Amino acid sequence: MKVFCFNLIICLGFVNFLGAQNIPSDKVLPIPELSNYLTESVKKQLIANGDLSEQRLAEYFREKFSERYFYDWKTNEERFKEYQTIYPEAEVGHTERALDHLAKFEANAQWKLPFNYQNGQPVNAYALRHLARQHKMIDIGYYYFYQNKNQKYLDYFTQQLASLNLALANNQFETIPDGNGVYEAFRSGYRVINWLQLHSLFLGQSGYSDQEQLVTIATFLQHAQHLFENNQEFVPGNHQTRGLTALAMIAIILKDFEGADQWYNHAMTLLGAHLDKEINNDGFQFERTVHYHISDIGTYYYVYQLAKKSKLPIDAVWESKLKSLFTTLSKIAFPDKSAPVLSDDTDTPWAETNDISGAMTLGYLLFENPEIGYFATDQLSTKFYWTASQTQLDKLKNKQSSPPKALSLDFPDTGYYIMREGWDKHDNMMVISAGVDPIKPDHQHGDVLGVQAMSNGKVVLPNYQVRYSLSDLELFKNSMTKNVALVDDQLLGKQYTSNKGGSGFGKFKKIAQPKTLTWFNNDVMDVFVGTHDGFNNIGVDYVRQVIAIKKEFWIVKDNFKSESNHTYKQVWQGHYTKENGPNLLRASFDNGSGLDILQLNTIDSVKTDGARGKQWSVVSKNNQNSFNFISVIFPFKTYDKRIDETEAIPNINNWKLNQSDWKASNNDAVSLTKAEASLLFSVQTITNKQISISFSQTSDIYIFNNDDTITIQLLSQPYNDLYMQVMVDGKPLKTVNKKAYKTAKIPVNGNQVYQLEIALN
């Protein structure tokens, strides 16, 4: 082991000057200069006869790392044995990724394009991004242990780190303006987090010399100062937050250096600004995806864990926002504890759900909330195993768990609406996507006013995860792979462009803008009404209604209106067959359950298409200026509970089509009736014996007869001037909900339930 000794400058004024200067961002400090940047208290502690040896400095930082990092590196041997026991399948994946990186890049890597892989093939910008992140270097760290501590794999890490420092010194690295900068905040931050873990994993290994350890520390300092200098102002998105996380982590672990407190305060302040601006008031991450929501959880988790361990100050609002990220996941979760696929979710391409158990396990680790614990497992994922102390790992084995209390709810800022019956695995749940982030809609899909649903433990109306690098990303981002309504050949996402970085990621320059018109829920139903401008360019007005009749089924009503003729469409995801014509589609699942989609208004055709093993059906009504799809989305648990396609009049769990005692004045009215309840669509005047109810505009209503009381609920768009008039034996009723009206024109509000108390002879 090579040892340096360096004399401390005794001149107090000069020492203070050196202590106050900034650590350079454009070079890595030589080891003999590190002590110049230590705080005065640490210098005094480490001085021995006016000298500070490399051995003493490395020993000091090994001890501090054991105190300040997530876990004590001195337990590496025991923890790795436990890791192998808990995650026996992980070795294959770690090995594959390690060998992939080792085969592609030399230890003395190049960091500026153009250059080639070791096999002679050119490295592109996408591949350079992965080198810069160093995420597979973690796998090489594991591989070192799997290979009985083969020294060449540890040396590969230290040599590749040194090659970056050399590239920095020679100005031979990709820069930020290129869009793939090696020191760009996300890539630099990602690399720091990975290297911190490797540093901890290798501490205590005889082949990781004092000098190499101190070079790694000096590299962290240079990265921190670069992140500090180049992230002074708020920049939206997860790229900056990843860099700020790394900055805060270095500041916590290496707080012995002058300026580290400034790094910490700056990182925490700017991260707080991200929490404030990018976590909506409703608790959802602003990019509206589960993937990036969970990514933010990881970002803030790292800092929160280390700050709490070192008893550093954390703003209460900062902490509250972090907790809301976990409670939000519990609110959107499917009954099977997974989460819906929302826009650019990319972890598992073509999957129809998101696994949130890993993120929720982190949440339970931090907050010990039983409702978060309901979704957590008793062990962390392989990625986060090394970010918890042994005490925390033991805590997970005895976690408390209880189902959330949240049922139907909305995220008004983000634009998600959840229709939920309960937390039993057979319960129905539907998600409506009715939002577009105005600042950064990059990850938005063409699913505006689209729905997803689960019933009987199966995703009956799916959406699909994507992968940026796949050639058909545009297809899976846009409307043909969503449960939406369309017109002619129009899609909701327009002017798709891919990025210049070569990752495959792309976005729409123009996307339909939604507006929520009504949202309410009660013991009987949940109702959503919304519109968007996606068809304004062809002169079509559009409104979607979604109605959940609790413990029964959903109704999706799509309303189109235009002065010219068009083809109107609904797109339904799933593998469907036509049962007795196009008006009844059926999907069935491996547990015997299924989904029927019944059209209450006659349609013209159904066309089936698909890709990547997924399939969808497009139902169409042709050559119409106006048309309303009224679609019953009916999940059934067993085949005998399906809508019987052999019956002349459809029976939908005892709801009868067009059999209501309420008679409509117009021929295009549609009704579903069960006992004393009726759902009436496209009605203007309805009559039942002595009672007549008229609406100023064509409306959809729920009406329930109970002795002398009639309950009415509006299901359609609440027009500003909408009113109803109730006549009893030809005389106007002027009292509704015990409220008197001067005229018989009773204003109708979408959220209000009207009870008419009528004494009948």
Side-chain angles (χ1 to χ4, degrees):
M1 177 180 68
K2 188 176 180 180
V3 178
F4 288 103
C5 287
F6 39 93
N7 294 322
L8 288 177
I9 301 171
I10 304 302
C11 174
L12 185 59
F14 194 38
V15 169
N16 286 339
F17 170 75
L18 286 174
Q21 67 180 322
N22 287 333
I23 290 170
S25 63
D26 58 351
K27 70 173 185 177
V28 175
L29 289 170
I31 294 175
E33 293 183 20
L34 283 176
S35 65
N36 296 334
Y37 297 86
L38 293 170
T39 65
E40 291 304 312
S41 61
V42 173
K43 287 179 184 177
K44 292 177 182 177
Q45 180 182 345
L46 295 179
I47 291 173
N49 300 320
D51 292 326
L52 177 56
S53 69
E54 175 186 279
Q55 181 180 8
R56 173 73 175 121
L57 194 61
E59 180 184 356
Y60 174 81
F61 281 114
R62 281 195 295 272
E63 190 61 34
K64 294 306 174 185
F65 213 91
S66 75
E67 297 170 7
R68 298 170 186 166
Y69 194 59
F70 298 113
Y71 74 98
D72 185 352
W73 62 265
K74 296 173 185 175
T75 64
N76 271 336
E77 303 297 327
E78 295 82 0
R79 283 181 72 103
F80 193 77
K81 289 178 182 177
E82 182 183 55
Y83 183 84
Q84 289 178 291
T85 301
I86 297 174
Y87 313 102
E89 72 289 346
E91 182 174 357
V92 173
H94 288 314
T95 299
E96 288 178 353
R97 289 186 291 271
L99 293 176
D100 178 72
H101 190 91
L102 289 163
K104 286 178 175 176
F105 303 105
E106 295 180 2
N108 295 312
Q110 292 178 251
W111 297 86
K112 186 175 180 63
L113 296 172
F115 67 95
N116 295 333
Y117 291 119
Q118 294 191 77
N119 66 5
Q121 296 296 313
V123 175
N124 61 19
Y126 184 72
L128 179 67
R129 188 173 72 160
H130 288 275
L131 171 65
R133 291 177 180 182
Q134 290 282 283
H135 62 284
K136 289 183 180 178
M137 191 65 77
I138 290 290
D139 301 293
I140 294 170
Y142 290 129
Y143 194 58
Y144 163 82
F145 284 96
Y146 287 131
Q147 295 297 307
N148 297 315
K149 302 183 180 180
N150 189 322
Q151 181 64 31
K152 70 177 181 179
Y153 301 118
L154 196 161
D155 291 343
Y156 184 90
F157 160 64
T158 56
Q159 289 170 25
Q160 198 152 92
L161 180 148
S163 74
L164 176 59
N165 292 343
L166 181 62
L168 175 68
N170 294 331
N171 197 28
Q172 288 296 309
F173 58 90
E174 288 297 324
T175 56
I176 291 173
D178 297 330
N180 291 279
V182 171
Y183 288 96
E184 184 269 338
F186 185 85
R187 296 170 180 88
S188 180
Y190 206 137
R191 182 167 64 248
V192 164
I193 293 169
N194 290 329
W195 281 355
L196 282 169
Q197 183 178 341
L198 282 166
H199 183 66
S200 179
L201 204 58
F202 290 147
L203 282 176
Q205 301 302 305
S206 59
Y208 193 32
S209 68
D210 291 344
Q211 182 182 357
E212 288 168 333
Q213 293 171 34
L214 292 176
V215 168
T216 301
I217 287 172
T219 304
F220 288 146
L221 297 175
Q222 177 269 321
H223 275 64
Q225 185 63 23
H226 190 278
L227 287 166
F228 176 72
E229 291 176 4
N230 289 279
N231 290 276
Q232 283 295 304
E233 303 295 331
F234 176 87
V235 178
N238 66 323
H239 279 233
Q240 186 177 70
T241 55
R242 186 57 59 94
L244 293 170
T245 294
L247 177 60
M249 292 173 71
I250 294 171
I252 293 168
I253 295 171
L254 300 178
K255 61 183 179 181
D256 316 270
F257 289 92
E258 289 284 356
D261 54 346
Q262 188 179 11
W263 291 343
Y264 178 78
N265 291 334
H266 177 70
M268 294 299 280
T269 298
L270 214 47
L271 283 171
H274 278 272
L275 282 165
D276 179 58
K277 297 176 185 294
E278 297 179 347
I279 309 303
N280 293 332
N281 290 332
D282 58 27
F284 216 107
Q285 203 267 359
F286 79 114
E287 291 172 292
R288 306 184 72 252
T289 79
V290 174
H291 175 95
Y292 287 95
H293 189 99
I294 290 178
S295 176
D296 268 14
I297 282 175
T299 293
Y300 297 109
Y301 164 84
Y302 286 124
V303 177
Y304 187 82
Q305 269 275 74
L306 289 185
K308 292 291 274 188
K309 183 171 185 179
S310 290
K311 297 181 173 56
L312 293 172
I314 301 173
D315 188 274
V317 175
W318 206 103
E319 186 174 56
S320 176
K321 281 276 192 174
L322 174 59
K323 189 173 182 180
S324 77
L325 289 172
F326 298 104
T327 55
T328 291
L329 288 180
S330 71
K331 292 175 182 177
I332 68 166
F334 279 138
D336 70 348
K337 302 182 183 181
S338 68
V341 174
L342 303 174
S343 288
D344 268 355
D345 291 334
T346 65
D347 287 338
T348 314
W350 313 321
E352 298 176 2
T353 61
N354 277 293
D355 182 358
I356 60 172
S357 62
M360 297 302 266
T361 304
L362 296 180
Y364 186 80
L365 204 72
L366 298 181
F367 299 110
E368 298 185 54
N369 182 319
E371 290 193 8
I372 296 175
Y374 180 75
F375 302 91
T377 66
D378 60 0
Q379 62 187 39
L380 293 171
S381 66
T382 56
K383 179 179 179 180
F384 287 100
Y385 169 82
W386 301 91
T387 67
S389 67
Q390 191 60 50
T391 300
Q392 288 178 311
L393 293 176
D394 293 340
K395 183 197 304 179
L396 290 176
K397 298 173 183 177
N398 299 294
K399 69 179 178 66
Q400 302 299 306
S401 171
S402 63
K405 299 178 181 64
L407 296 177
S408 295
L409 49 83
D410 65 325
F411 292 87
D413 302 312
T414 311
Y416 287 121
Y417 296 82
I418 311 297
M419 296 176 167
R420 183 197 308 281
E421 291 179 350
W423 289 98
D424 183 84
K425 65 180 181 180
H426 297 295
D427 283 336
N428 293 340
M429 176 182 155
M430 181 170 279
V431 182
I432 304 158
S433 176
V436 174
D437 183 72
I439 299 174
K440 190 171 180 265
D442 298 25
H443 298 291
Q444 178 74 42
H445 282 211
D447 67 338
V448 182
L449 299 190
V451 299
Q452 296 176 60
M454 174 173 275
S455 183
N456 297 307
K458 297 295 179 179
V459 179
V460 294
L461 289 175
N463 189 17
Y464 315 114
Q465 292 199 40
V466 300
R467 180 60 56 85
Y468 299 152
S469 58
L470 294 176
S471 60
D472 52 6
L473 172 66
E474 182 180 358
L475 170 66
F476 277 86
K477 277 193 79 149
N478 218 333
S479 304
M480 291 311 300
T481 56
K482 316 297 174 187
N483 300 293
V484 294
L486 300 174
V487 181
D488 299 334
D489 59 353
Q490 298 285 308
L491 300 178
L492 300 179
K494 296 176 172 66
Q495 300 176 38
Y496 177 85
T497 58
S498 60
N499 76 335
K500 297 179 181 179
S503 69
F505 169 74
K507 58 186 177 182
F508 303 109
K509 289 186 177 180
K510 186 175 182 181
I511 197 159
Q513 297 298 308
K515 180 181 179 182
T516 299
L517 303 174
T518 294
W519 165 254
F520 68 85
N521 48 75
N522 54 42
D523 293 339
V524 177
M525 66 182 67
D526 301 330
V527 177
F528 169 88
V529 184
T531 184
H532 65 62
D533 63 1
F535 312 126
N536 286 8
N537 61 315
I538 53 173
V540 177
D541 294 330
Y542 170 69
V543 173
R544 168 165 275 194
Q545 299 159 242
V546 184
I547 304 160
I549 306 300
K550 295 187 175 179
K551 300 295 181 182
E552 302 224 42
F553 53 83
W554 302 279
I555 294 174
V556 175
K557 184 168 184 275
D558 289 313
N559 309 276
F560 301 93
K561 186 176 181 180
S562 178
E563 293 182 359
S564 57
N565 287 355
H566 297 273
T567 297
Y568 299 119
K569 304 174 181 177
Q570 288 180 325
V571 186
W572 299 111
Q573 302 301 310
H575 294 262
Y576 294 99
T577 58
K578 291 181 285 188
E579 307 299 321
N580 282 2
N583 286 305
L584 179 59
L585 301 179
R586 176 166 296 148
S588 59
F589 306 101
D590 59 1
N591 63 355
S593 68
L595 182 75
D596 283 342
I597 301 178
L598 176 67
Q599 299 292 342
L600 302 188
N601 283 332
T602 302
I603 63 168
D604 291 330
S605 64
V606 177
K607 181 180 179 181
T608 299
D609 203 348
R612 302 289 192 181
K614 305 301 181 182
Q615 203 170 66
W616 48 87
S617 294
V618 182
V619 300
S620 299
K621 188 68 176 180
N622 305 325
N623 200 32
Q624 302 284 311
N625 61 359
S626 298
F627 183 72
N628 300 329
F629 290 99
I630 306 175
S631 309
V632 176
I633 314 300
F634 182 78
F636 57 88
K637 189 173 182 180
T638 56
Y639 84 99
D640 55 318
K641 302 297 182 183
R642 76 195 189 282
I643 298 173
D644 191 341
E645 65 276 9
T646 65
E647 293 184 347
I649 299 176
N651 183 326
I652 309 165
N653 195 29
N654 295 321
W655 289 80
K656 298 292 185 66
L657 179 63
N658 295 330
Q659 301 295 301
S660 176
D661 290 337
W662 290 95
K663 304 305 178 185
S665 60
N666 53 315
N667 292 330
D668 58 346
V670 176
S671 69
L672 284 175
T673 301
K674 182 177 184 178
E676 302 302 319
S678 286
L679 298 161
L680 304 175
F681 298 97
S682 303
V683 297
Q684 191 148 10
T685 298
I686 57 173
T687 304
N688 185 352
K689 298 177 182 177
Q690 306 106 307
I691 304 169
S692 175
I693 303 173
S694 297
F695 295 88
S696 58
Q697 299 194 47
T698 301
S699 300
D700 304 328
I701 64 169
Y702 167 81
I703 189 165
F704 183 83
N705 294 22
N706 183 17
D707 297 328
D708 292 342
T709 301
I710 297 172
T711 301
I712 298 174
Q713 174 70 64
L714 181 69
L715 305 177
S716 52
Q717 182 176 356
Y719 298 100
N720 291 333
D721 56 350
L722 182 63
Y723 62 87
M724 68 179 176
Q725 186 170 15
V726 182
M727 307 290 288
V728 181
D729 290 327
K731 297 179 181 180
L733 183 70
K734 297 183 180 181
T735 303
V736 175
N737 291 358
K738 299 182 180 180
K739 181 178 180 181
Y741 292 88
K742 292 181 180 180
T743 72
K745 294 182 178 180
I746 303 162
V748 179
N749 183 293
N751 295 324
Q752 185 173 351
V753 176
Y754 297 86
Q755 290 190 336
L756 317 180
E757 296 181 6
I758 302 172
L760 300 176
N761 295 327

